[in-house]
Amino acid sequence: MHKKTQLPSKRCPICERPFDWRKKWEKVWDDVKYCSERCRRQSKRKPANTNPRIST
């Protein structure tokens, strides 16, 4: 029986959710930053101007 509680985990900087090590990330675990492709794509977006006080 495998103990999944012993796997390393990280926290995604975009959604702040924890994610666990996966076999497919075995060789690149140090480079993995995001929990999913969706979070990785979202990190590339520029933040929208949401401040209503700024007018042009």
Side-chain angles (χ1 to χ4, degrees), residues 4 6 9-11 16-17 20 26 32 37-38 40 42 44-45 48-51:
K4 292 192 176 196
Q6 295 177 353
S9 64
K10 293 183 179 183
R11 196 166 283 277
E16 297 294 324
R17 293 181 183 163
D20 293 328
E26 183 174 25
V32 175
E37 186 67 23
R38 181 179 179 184
R40 187 188 67 78
Q42 194 171 8
K44 305 286 184 193
R45 290 185 182 175
N49 185 3
T50 57
N51 191 344

Side-chain angles (χ1 to χ4, degrees), residues 4 24 26 44 46 52-53 55:
K4 292 192 176 196
K24 71 179 194 175
E26 183 174 25
K44 305 286 184 193
K46 294 181 181 177
R53 294 182 186 192
S55 61

